[in-house]
């Protein structure tokens, strides 16, 4: 079955923010989602940090071999891979309240 939400997380040089961001996604009270992480060939230790979360079956991780220089390519690539009814594109240096998806999905489903 396809998940309700596809979460796309582009990242570049945000290793210090990634644990809080990824945990704020994986810890959501609404759990019917997939997380697609696309790292744009970060020169910091982002790859090591992201790999700590790849055992979760909801996580798909892609590391670009060459830096594209723009998050738009990750948005496009992630959107093509997405299997969910809805897409949430996240910023890698932010975090979300743990009930964000629960509230958002309810609002989306109730509206229409």
């Amino acid at each position: 079955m396809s998940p309700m939400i596809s979460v796309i997380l582009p990242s570049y040089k945000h290793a210090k923010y990634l644990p809080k961001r990824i945990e704020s996604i994986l810890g959501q009270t609404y759990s019917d989602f997939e997380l697609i992480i696309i790292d744009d060939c970060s020169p910091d230790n982002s790859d090591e940090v992201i790999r700590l979360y790849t055992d979760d079956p909801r996580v798909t991780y892609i590391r670009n071999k060459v830096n594209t220089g723009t998050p738009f390519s990750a948005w496009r690539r992630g959107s093509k891979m997405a299997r969910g009814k809805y897409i949430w594109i996240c910023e890698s240096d932010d975090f979300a309240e743990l009930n964000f998806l629960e509230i958002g999905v309810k609002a989306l489903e109730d509206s229409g």
Side-chain angles (χ1 to χ4, degrees):
M1 278 183 41
S2 295
M4 180 66 84
I5 305 284
S6 293
V7 182
I8 301 169
L9 179 61
S11 181
Y12 180 70
K13 287 178 34 174
H14 279 162
K16 68 181 180 179
Y17 304 109
L18 285 170
K20 186 172 185 176
R21 169 39 109 187
I22 293 171
E23 289 167 18
S24 81
I25 296 168
L26 295 178
Q28 289 291 305
T29 57
Y30 185 88
S31 61
D32 187 13
F33 65 86
E34 65 179 340
L35 172 56
I36 302 167
I37 304 172
I38 303 173
D39 181 69
D40 201 12
C41 197
S42 294
D44 63 4
N45 67 325
S46 291
D47 182 61
E48 295 167 31
V49 172
I50 295 167
R51 288 187 186 279
L52 296 173
Y53 300 93
T54 57
D55 285 343
D56 189 307
R58 297 170 294 179
V59 175
T60 299
Y61 172 43
I62 297 161
R63 177 172 165 78
N64 291 341
K65 293 179 182 174
V66 176
N67 179 272
T68 65
T70 175
F72 301 120
S73 64
W75 296 357
R76 188 172 29 261
R77 187 173 186 182
S79 295
K80 287 180 181 177
M81 295 174 61
R83 298 177 300 128
K85 180 176 180 181
Y86 302 109
I87 293 176
W88 171 28
I89 297 176
C90 303
E91 298 299 327
S92 56
D93 62 346
D94 200 358
F95 67 96
E97 296 297 327
L98 296 180
N99 62 349
F100 176 80
L101 284 179
E102 183 178 350
I103 292 168
V105 168
K106 182 174 179 359
L108 289 165
E109 291 291 292
D110 288 350
S111 70

